[in-house]
């Protein structure tokens, strides 16, 4: 089924959303923009280094109409450091290995360009020869069992892909919620969330659920793991970050593949974040004037104040003694002879991240 401009306008207008007419009180409307250049600097100093240690840092690895990934340079006291690629899924990272007895230090500077991303349904999307890959299950994101049963309650088999995605997006906004007590961005264990009925989480949980349900409905979809690098241009505190202190600014977004439109931006998790955390009150109404413009815009667009690292799941760290796959690679990782460090333990695993504008 071809995706026409009328189809897109109908489903992005959100005609079924209650209260959308009051959204003029607040604006969130990313539009096509010029490229902007940035440098992202990550510095790690390990407090724990028993018997030698290793560090893995994700680097921007996406080339697209909305991001250009550039050079990476680093300084370190490591005995060996290089950009490596995970054989299983192609995710790129800086891998540094330190001598026993050293105090590991590494500083990575990554250059890239980014801009606002807006779907243009009037233009035919580029074919993606690898699109079937993004319909496959992962360790924490099955497409059968409880996922298939949930999908059957949300969509009809006869629905177009666009209608399926629209229904799943609306179901996510209505049934899931941001849970601030979750560590980091969550772990993306969709099967556990659906089996327990606990639909609270953070971006790596909620956008993973969205992606998983889309795949279960037969629509190619993927997470995009990255980090916010600037405040929002629209004044939403929760949709941006202070560029001078980005620890904790990691954020997972999502994409779906629609025939005749290509890969399209999605972010139902950020709708939930605005509802739960933008004000001191938990906003329960998705038609609230603060929420409605965000809900509308994040179906098909996103703001270019964020950089994507990769879309990989089940990541085995190259050279690691621990072959247990990570659900995703969005945070710096490290290990020593005692095992893998807790990337969310700020006392044992100290790092800083900052970003600055440079000429595009």
């Amino acid at each position: 089924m071809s995706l026409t401009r009328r189809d897109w306008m109908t489903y992005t207008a959100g005609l079924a959303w209650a209260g959308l007419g009051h959204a003029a009180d607040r604006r969130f409307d990313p539009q096509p923009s010029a490229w902007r250049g940035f440098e992202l600097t990550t510095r790690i100093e390990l407090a724990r280094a028993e018997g030698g240690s290793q560090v893995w840092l994700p680097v921007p690895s996406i080339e697209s109409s909305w991001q250009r990934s550039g050079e990476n340079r680093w300084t370190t006291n490591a005995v060996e450091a290089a950009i490596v690629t995970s054989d299983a899924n192609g995710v790129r990272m800086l891998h540094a290995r330190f001598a026993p007895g050293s105090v590991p230090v590494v500083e990575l500077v990554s250059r890239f360009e980014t801009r606002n991303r807006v779907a243009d349904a009037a233009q035919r999307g580029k074919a993606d020869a690898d699109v079937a890959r993004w319909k496959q299950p992962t360790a924490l994101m099955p497409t059968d069992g409880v996922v298939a049963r949930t999908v059957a309650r949300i969509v009809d088999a006869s629905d177009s892909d666009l209608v399926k995605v629209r229904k799943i997006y609306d179901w996510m906004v209505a049934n899931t919620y941001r849970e601030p007590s979750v560590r980091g961005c969550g772990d993306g264990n969709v099967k556990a969330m659906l089996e327990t009925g606990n639909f609270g989480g953070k971006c790596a949980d909620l956008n993973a659920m969205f992606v998983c349900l889309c795949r279960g409905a037969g629509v190619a979809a993927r997470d995009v793991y990255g980090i916010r690098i600037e405040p929002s241009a629209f004044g939403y505190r929760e949709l941006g970050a202070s560029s001078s202190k980005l620890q904790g600014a990691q954020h997972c977004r999502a994409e779906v593949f629609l025939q005749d439109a290509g890969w399209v931006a999605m972010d139902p998790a950020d709708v939930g974040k605005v509802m739960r955390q933008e004000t001191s009150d938990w906003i329960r109404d998705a038609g609230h004037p603060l929420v409605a413009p965000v809900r509308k815009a994040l179906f098909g667009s996103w703001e270019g104040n964020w950089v994507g690292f990769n879309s990989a799941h089940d990541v085995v760290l190259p050279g690691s003694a621990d072959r247990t796959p990570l659900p995703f690679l969005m945070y710096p990782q490290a290990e020593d002879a005692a095992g893998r460090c807790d990337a969310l333990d700020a006392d044992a695993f100290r790092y800083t991240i900052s970003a600055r504008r440079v000429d595009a």
Side-chain angles (χ1 to χ4, degrees), residues 182-232:
V182 168
R183 295 185 78 217
C185 291
D187 61 10
N189 192 337
V190 177
K191 184 174 184 289
M193 295 176 71
L194 290 175
E195 287 180 341
T196 62
N198 180 1
F199 295 167
K202 288 187 179 174
C203 59
D205 299 314
L206 304 185
N207 279 339
M209 183 184 290
F210 172 74
V211 166
C212 184
L213 294 174
C214 287
R215 291 186 185 187
V219 180
R222 61 192 179 195
D223 296 287
V224 190
Y225 298 101
I227 190 167
R228 303 184 203 267
I229 52 175
E230 276 195 327
S232 170

Side-chain angles (χ1 to χ4, degrees), residues 112-346:
F112 57 90
E113 295 174 329
T114 186
R115 62 182 178 181
N116 290 347
R117 183 178 183 185
V118 181
D120 184 359
Q123 307 215 353
R124 179 176 294 275
K126 293 182 179 180
D128 188 335
D130 199 29
V131 70
R133 168 189 175 190
W134 304 109
K135 296 182 181 181
Q136 300 304 311
T138 73
L140 300 181
M141 296 166 51
T143 54
D144 58 1
V146 67
V147 173
R149 294 191 296 273
T150 304
V151 168
R153 293 195 296 268
I154 301 171
V155 307
D156 297 322
S158 60
D159 289 338
S160 69
D161 284 357
L162 175 59
V163 173
K164 288 177 180 177
V165 173
R166 171 83 267 170
K167 287 182 176 180
I168 293 169
Y169 182 93
D170 287 345
W171 183 90
M172 289 291 305
V173 173
N175 292 278
T176 67
Y177 61 92
R178 171 84 172 186
E179 178 44 67
S181 65
V182 168
R183 295 185 78 217
C185 291
D187 61 10
N189 192 337
V190 177
K191 184 174 184 289
M193 295 176 71
L194 290 175
E195 287 180 341
T196 62
N198 180 1
F199 295 167
K202 288 187 179 174
C203 59
D205 299 314
L206 304 185
N207 279 339
M209 183 184 290
F210 172 74
V211 166
C212 184
L213 294 174
C214 287
R215 291 186 185 187
V219 180
R222 61 192 179 195
D223 296 287
V224 190
Y225 298 101
I227 190 167
R228 303 184 203 267
I229 52 175
E230 276 195 327
S232 170
F234 300 96
Y236 281 84
R237 182 188 69 250
E238 295 298 327
L239 301 184
S242 168
S243 59
S244 63
K245 187 177 181 181
L246 298 179
Q247 302 88 271
Q250 287 86 357
H251 178 56
C252 165
R253 287 178 165 174
E255 299 178 304
V256 298
F257 188 84
L258 299 175
Q259 196 65 39
D260 296 334
W263 287 103
V264 179
M266 300 279 157
D267 199 342
D270 259 359
V271 182
K273 189 175 188 184
V274 169
M275 294 175 72
R276 183 68 187 265
Q277 293 183 212
E278 188 66 26
T279 69
S280 58
D281 296 325
W282 185 349
I283 301 172
R284 307 278 185 163
D285 176 13
H288 187 282
L290 187 71
V291 178
V294 174
R295 179 177 180 176
K296 179 178 185 294
L298 292 181
F299 187 93
S301 62
W302 66 43
E303 197 174 354
N305 62 339
W306 171 91
V307 60
F309 294 136
N310 60 74
S311 292
H313 290 276
D314 304 336
V315 178
V316 177
L317 296 173
S320 173
D322 186 344
R323 307 309 291 170
T324 305
L326 296 169
F328 47 81
L329 182 65
M330 183 163 56
Y331 287 87
Q333 301 290 326
E335 74 178 27
D336 62 14
R340 187 172 293 172
C341 300
D342 182 349
L344 303 179
D345 184 346

Side-chain angles (χ1 to χ4, degrees), residues 103-118:
V103 178
V105 178
V106 59
E107 182 172 284
L108 167 68
V109 179
S110 300
R111 277 206 170 203
F112 57 90
E113 295 174 329
T114 186
R115 62 182 178 181
N116 290 347
R117 183 178 183 185
V118 181

Side-chain angles (χ1 to χ4, degrees), residues 26-39:
R26 284 297 298 266
R27 179 173 171 266
F28 185 80
D29 186 23
Q31 292 297 311
S33 62
W35 289 102
R36 299 183 303 153
F38 290 88
E39 281 189 346

